[in-house]
């Protein structure tokens, strides 16, 4: 396959939902210990579902493109939906990843699972 899918190229060159929500209802940050890429998500929630999401990312085109795709994709999801996301689903959602980029999907899964954990944590108990 091509080095990057059309979806990754579109979101890398025209990223959606970049930034950080002030006073978010939940947030999560992860970093890959090998490549060093980092992703930070902040979300706002209504009726138990994500209604707004923003990302900050530092790393490769696949990590940035994936983070942008994820922020649009997770709107409407609740913590149980986030916890069910796996690497195969992310890979399919971003239009495929080359073999050397498969850990980009793992980074996305890790940040979504961390976000699910944060959403499940009662406010004020951190
Ligand atoms: Fe590691 Fe991009 S090079 S996630």
């Amino acid at each position: 396959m091509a080095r990057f899918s059309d979806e990754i190229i579109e979101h890398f060159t025209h990223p959606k939902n970049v930034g950080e929500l002030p006073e978010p209802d939940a947030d999560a940050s992860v970093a890959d210990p090998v490549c060093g890429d980092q992703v930070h998500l902040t979300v706002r929630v209504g009726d138990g579902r994500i209604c707004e999401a923003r990302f900050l990312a530092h790393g490769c085109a696949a990590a940035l493109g994936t983070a942008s795709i994820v922020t649009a994709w997770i709107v409407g999801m609740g913590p149980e939906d986030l916890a069910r996301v796996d690497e195969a689903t992310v890979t399919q959602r971003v239009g495929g990843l080359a073999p050397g980029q498969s850990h980009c999907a793992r980074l996305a899964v890790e940040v979504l699972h961390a976000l699910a954990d944060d959403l499940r944590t009662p406010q004020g108990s951190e």
Side-chain angles (χ1 to χ4, degrees):
M1 71 173 285
R3 181 144 167 70
F4 298 113
S5 69
D6 291 345
E7 289 91 336
I8 295 263
I9 291 170
E10 169 61 22
H11 280 263
F12 175 65
T13 54
H14 302 97
K16 318 275 188 290
N17 306 313
V18 177
E20 201 169 14
L21 290 167
E23 300 180 29
D25 294 313
D27 71 307
S29 295
V30 295
D32 185 297
V34 176
C35 69
D37 286 11
Q38 301 169 10
V39 180
H40 176 64
L41 294 181
T42 51
V43 298
R44 221 174 286 297
V45 175
D47 291 331
R49 306 240 157 231
I50 293 170
C51 51
E52 200 174 1
R54 297 278 186 279
F55 82 93
L56 293 173
H58 184 77
C60 70
L64 271 64
T66 299
S68 174
I69 291 167
V70 160
T71 55
W73 175 35
I74 62 175
V75 170
M77 287 189 182
E80 307 313 321
D81 304 310
L82 296 173
R84 274 195 294 271
V85 173
D86 60 15
E87 290 179 35
T89 310
V90 171
T91 302
Q92 181 184 27
R93 196 79 197 192
V94 303
L97 289 164
Q101 301 166 340
S102 58
H103 71 284
C104 295
R106 189 169 62 242
L107 194 67
V109 168
E110 286 176 3
V111 77
L112 293 179
H113 289 186
L115 188 64
D117 288 344
D118 197 47
L119 282 167
R120 291 174 177 137
T121 303
Q123 286 189 345
S125 69
E126 293 176 38

